[in-house]
Amino acid sequence: MELNELTIHELKDKLNKKECTIPEIVSSYFKKIKEAEPKVDAYLTLLENEAMDEAKTMQEKFDKGESTGILFGIPIAIKDAICTKGVRTTSASKILDNFISPYDATVMEKLHSEGAIMLGKTNMDEFAMGSSTEHSAYKTTKNPWDLSRIPGGSSGGSAAAVAAGMAPCALGSDTGGSIRQPASLCGIVGLKPTYGLVSRYGLIAYASSFDQIGPFTRDVEDLAILLNAISGHDEKDTTSENREKEDYTEALVKDVKDIKIGVPKEFLGEGVNEEVKEVVLKAAKKYEELGAKVEECSFKVADYSLATYYIIACAEASSNLGRFDGIRYGHRASEFKDLKELFKKTRQEGFGDEVKRRIFLGTCVLSSGYSDAYYVKAQKVRNLLREEFAKQFEKYDFLLTPTSPTTAFKIGEKMEDPLEMYLADICTVPVNVAGVPAISIPCGYSKDGLPIGMQLIGNYFSESKMIRTAYTYEQNTEWHNMHPNI
Ligand code: GLN
């Protein structure tokens, strides 16, 4: 097996046994990147020289017994929405084409202090707005399982890089499903942590009350390791929770006998592909065999969550994106008469169609005369959704649903119809609206060989139990051992 095919825990093991060196690990990833990247287009920026230099320095430290950190010498790919000091950070937008971040996001500081080595920045939908990575201003990432299909989005570059063996793990951000949906469509593991568990400082904001940074990995054990590295209180993020730090690797136990799972029928209804449904129901059966209590349940207000999400997310986006004015950073229009024209031209030239559509929608739902009917109403429905989740978690530890209603769709298939694209998030957005955590893990394949993922939704800060529940299923199935031939 090549080094680039291993998991974080396997790489750590090999390093500790001195069966390989850090430069060997890093160069095995760049070798794979040279082969697969021209086909997959997962990265926007590659940092080969920087990563190789860092690997050498770290190996010297390692040889002297000075290695520290739970990710010492482990490579990682980072979504381009996360600020990385001295490295181009575009959020896949032309408006940030020339932006070199002057500071590191908190998650980057944490990764550096744990010894991780950044391989590069990954492609995404512009400002994380999309479900397919087709809205990137630079290129479309392809799904490593079938290059004619999308990898999901918006963190499609991160998911495709991990699935293709071009990184052992990656960070993404999830506002309405952008970690879980691409993880599901690429056959890997992805987690949207509880809102407030991971600092958002340095994440280029899309919709601040939903955004969360989270991990992509090849298996659940790696996910626990990476979550240990990035979670924790941060004074620089006022929405960051100040709670005792947990060790998620302690949850890597194979036992679900005390776990109660509800399978809400609303998430398996209209629009959900039959094959996906079948595979997810089989996974529910598997949990039953493993000793969990599983039953069908009903989740009210599910129908309203997509509309609620898009109203609030667009409202917040229209405000967050106000900062891109051609004055403070990024692109500036070259010709303009006055200040107003500078703003207008810069934004006209710098933003793509989907971003403009959302700013337009957002300003519309916030404008006087409409805000009560749309924005305020959506906030009320948001509360109803929170209450509904609370009710479910009085009865169940987790809700089990498909992560995505379909397998990966063809490139171009939904680009002409924004509403069709928005429907790709139907199973994931309720989670962000309430702020609860959810994980996506592989649970099968379609007849044409495309990965299918299931989602476990849990109560606030139930990540440990969620990891245990996901790990138990994973270790009793073979899906996580399947990789695309790329
Ligand atoms: N696809 C959803 C959207 O377009 C979610 C994106 C995300 O989670 N960043 O808003």
Side-chain angles (χ1 to χ4, degrees):
M1 235 191 189
E2 300 289 328
L3 290 172
N4 75 295
E5 291 166 25
L6 302 179
T7 58
I8 301 177
H9 56 93
E10 288 164 345
L11 288 171
K12 278 170 67 128
D13 223 40
K14 271 200 175 302
L15 263 177
N16 287 334
K17 290 190 191 139
K18 301 211 174 359
E19 288 172 7
C20 70
T21 65
I22 300 170
E24 278 167 10
I25 293 178
V26 172
S27 64
S28 81
Y29 282 99
F30 281 103
K31 185 169 160 251
K32 184 68 191 182
I33 288 170
K34 277 183 194 116
E35 280 165 33
E37 178 63 7
K39 293 183 255 176
V40 178
D41 277 323
Y43 284 95
L44 287 174
T45 302
L46 282 164
L47 300 162
E48 184 168 6
N49 294 339
E50 295 83 343
M52 283 309 296
D53 285 349
E54 220 181 322
K56 278 181 213 137
T57 320
M58 294 183 78
Q59 185 63 39
E60 282 162 21
K61 276 197 189 166
F62 186 80
D63 292 338
K64 283 191 239 155
E66 290 168 8
S67 55
T68 47
I70 53 174
L71 293 170
F72 198 84
I74 303 296
I76 188 163
I78 303 294
K79 185 179 186 178
D80 212 22
I82 296 172
C83 285
T84 45
K85 190 174 179 178
V87 175
R88 183 170 175 244
T89 300
T90 66
S91 223
S93 180
K94 288 281 177 212
I95 213 158
L96 286 174
D97 192 45
N98 56 5
F99 179 64
I100 311 270
S101 175
Y103 72 102
D104 261 334
T106 296
V107 288
M108 293 313 300
E109 283 179 357
K110 284 180 181 283
L111 289 177
H112 291 314
S113 76
E114 295 294 353
I117 300 177
M118 178 167 49
L119 298 171
K121 304 292 296 287
T122 55
N123 195 26
M124 53 184 281
D125 287 292
E126 184 176 0
F127 287 109
M129 297 172 184
S131 311
S132 67
T133 318
E134 291 166 292
H135 291 305
S136 164
Y138 299 97
K139 55 188 179 185
T140 295
T141 299
K142 285 77 180 179
N143 191 313
W145 291 90
D146 176 346
L147 297 171
S148 68
R149 293 176 188 270
I150 55 98
S154 64
S155 317
S158 286
V162 174
M166 295 195 283
C169 58
L171 290 190
S173 63
D174 191 313
T175 305
S178 281
I179 293 174
R180 290 158 288 153
Q181 185 252 20
S184 165
L185 302 190
C186 289
I188 59 170
V189 183
L191 172 82
K192 198 294 277 185
T194 304
Y195 186 78
L197 183 69
V198 177
S199 169
R200 291 183 297 111
Y201 180 75
L203 170 67
I204 296 175
Y206 158 20
S208 312
S209 73
F210 302 93
D211 299 340
Q212 260 305 275
I213 294 174
F216 283 103
T217 54
R218 295 189 135 196
D219 67 12
V220 177
E221 182 168 347
D222 280 7
L223 188 105
I225 298 172
L226 193 48
L227 188 61
N228 272 354
I230 60 170
S231 57
H233 178 61
D234 180 14
E235 276 178 3
K236 292 183 193 142
D237 172 1
T238 51
T239 58
S240 156
E241 281 273 332
N242 198 352
R243 57 200 323 274
E244 210 178 306
K245 207 157 152 67
E246 285 177 60
D247 178 357
Y248 297 103
T249 60
E250 283 175 5
L252 297 167
V253 177
K254 287 179 247 172
D255 180 14
V256 288
K257 296 208 181 62
D258 60 331
I259 299 293
K260 284 201 202 103
I261 296 175
V263 184
K265 55 178 191 289
E266 289 79 1
F267 287 76
L268 290 164
E270 207 194 323
V272 178
N273 172 286
E274 279 305 315
E275 253 182 317
V276 170
K277 204 162 143 179
E278 216 174 277
V279 163
V280 170
L281 287 174
K282 242 191 206 156
K285 264 249 143 28
K286 183 82 193 171
Y287 268 120
E288 231 170 357
E289 278 168 41
L290 292 168
K293 195 163 177 277
V294 182
E295 64 185 38
E296 191 188 79
C297 66
S298 172
F299 187 94
K300 309 237 168 51
V301 288
D303 280 359
Y304 304 109
S305 55
L306 201 66
T308 308
Y309 168 78
Y310 275 98
I311 289 170
I312 304 174
C314 290
E316 293 184 16
S318 73
S319 160
N320 273 327
L321 270 56
R323 74 192 65 176
F324 301 105
D325 53 10
I327 307 282
R328 285 172 274 199
Y329 27 56
H331 172 72
R332 176 178 298 176
S334 50
E335 278 171 44
F336 46 88
K337 284 199 310 280
D338 51 21
L339 195 59
K340 207 166 166 193
E341 202 177 274
L342 164 66
F343 293 163
K344 253 182 155 170
K345 278 195 165 172
T346 298
R347 290 166 69 84
Q348 206 164 50
E349 295 165 7
F351 289 140
D353 286 350
E354 184 61 25
V355 175
K356 285 178 185 155
R357 181 179 298 125
R358 297 202 187 192
I359 294 175
F360 186 72
L361 246 160
T363 23
C364 190
V365 298
L366 286 174
S367 58
S368 75
Y370 289 104
S371 68
D372 279 352
Y374 294 104
Y375 182 72
V376 176
K377 181 102 111 325
Q379 293 290 11
K380 288 183 185 156
V381 182
R382 185 175 199 173
N383 272 337
L384 289 180
L385 261 157
R386 286 196 187 108
E387 285 166 17
E388 179 64 22
F389 272 115
K391 256 192 236 148
Q392 300 289 339
F393 295 133
E394 278 170 17
K395 262 174 118 180
Y396 306 112
D397 296 288
F398 298 105
L399 298 180
L400 193 162
T401 75
T403 307
S404 161
T406 64
T407 51
F409 45 89
K410 290 266 184 198
I411 290 172
E413 197 180 312
K414 299 188 197 278
M415 278 300 267
E416 298 311 314
D417 187 347
L419 276 183
E420 268 290 306
M421 189 74 96
Y422 298 171
L423 279 168
D425 307 319
I426 191 97
C427 302
T428 49
V429 293
V431 168
N432 304 70
V433 173
V436 292
I439 195 170
S440 177
I441 54 171
C443 67
Y445 285 79
S446 67
K447 281 183 209 77
D448 43 3
L450 296 169
I452 296 172
M454 67 166 151
Q455 173 175 242
L456 288 171
I457 308 172
N459 207 348
Y460 300 102
F461 301 106
S462 64
E463 278 82 355
S464 278
K465 210 196 270 180
M466 184 177 283
I467 284 170
R468 167 158 68 89
T469 306
Y471 183 71
T472 307
Y473 174 85
E474 178 196 78
Q475 293 300 307
N476 282 285
T477 51
E478 282 303 319
W479 312 119
H480 63 295
N481 292 322
M482 295 175 71
H483 303 298
N485 235 335
I486 181 100

